[in-house]
Amino acid sequence: MVTGWFVGDGDDFRLIGTRCSACGSVFFPREETHCRNPGCRGGDLEEVPLSRRGRVWSYTDSRYRPPSPYVTDPELPWEPYALIAVELESERIVVLGQAVPGVTVADLTVGMEVEVVPGVLDEDAETTWTTWRWRPTGVA
């Protein structure tokens, strides 16, 4: 889990970003030191929960095993997954993430509504590494 990038479980699961008090720009991943907007002289950065829903902006699939530091067991066969760029409903920023297991590029279209849900990136006997995933709305 990347500390401070998301909170909650189930319907309370949210990505966490920051908003600049001077220009209103929203950032994900969160920003701790300065406003990333090049036209802004900067203001205080406030932690904000981001929209749970958005629309598919673009997508692709990952058909190869990424290099380190991606966590994967080289002994297991590689399982392709869909990668989705989602424009968040209110913030109008694009956030990249994996689709939930079982959703492939054949299931996706640009403009379809998706929601953020918790997911498992990897786990072993001692640790479960959590992340976020995108799920088409109306899919359990």
Side-chain angles (χ1 to χ4, degrees), residues 43-136:
D44 293 329
L45 298 172
E46 173 189 15
E47 180 177 286
V48 292
L50 302 179
S51 299
R52 292 198 69 238
R53 292 182 179 213
R55 301 242 173 231
V56 173
W57 185 76
S58 187
Y59 58 91
T60 190
D61 59 356
S62 177
R63 296 230 163 249
Y64 65 93
R65 188 183 307 272
S68 183
Y70 187 85
V71 179
T72 181
D73 184 344
E75 300 297 318
L76 296 175
W78 177 248
E79 295 290 330
Y81 59 85
L83 192 59
I84 310 173
V86 176
E87 184 177 30
L88 297 182
E89 196 169 65
S90 296
E91 298 81 6
R92 310 283 298 183
I93 61 173
V94 176
V95 175
L96 193 63
Q98 291 182 18
V100 294
V103 172
T104 68
V105 293
D107 302 314
L108 300 171
T109 58
V110 169
M112 84 183 308
E113 187 179 55
V114 293
E115 61 189 341
V116 68
V117 295
V120 174
L121 183 61
D122 195 32
E123 57 189 328
D124 62 24
E126 300 168 4
T127 307
T128 298
W129 289 273
T130 56
T131 189
W132 67 94
R133 302 277 173 112
W134 295 109
R135 177 178 67 195

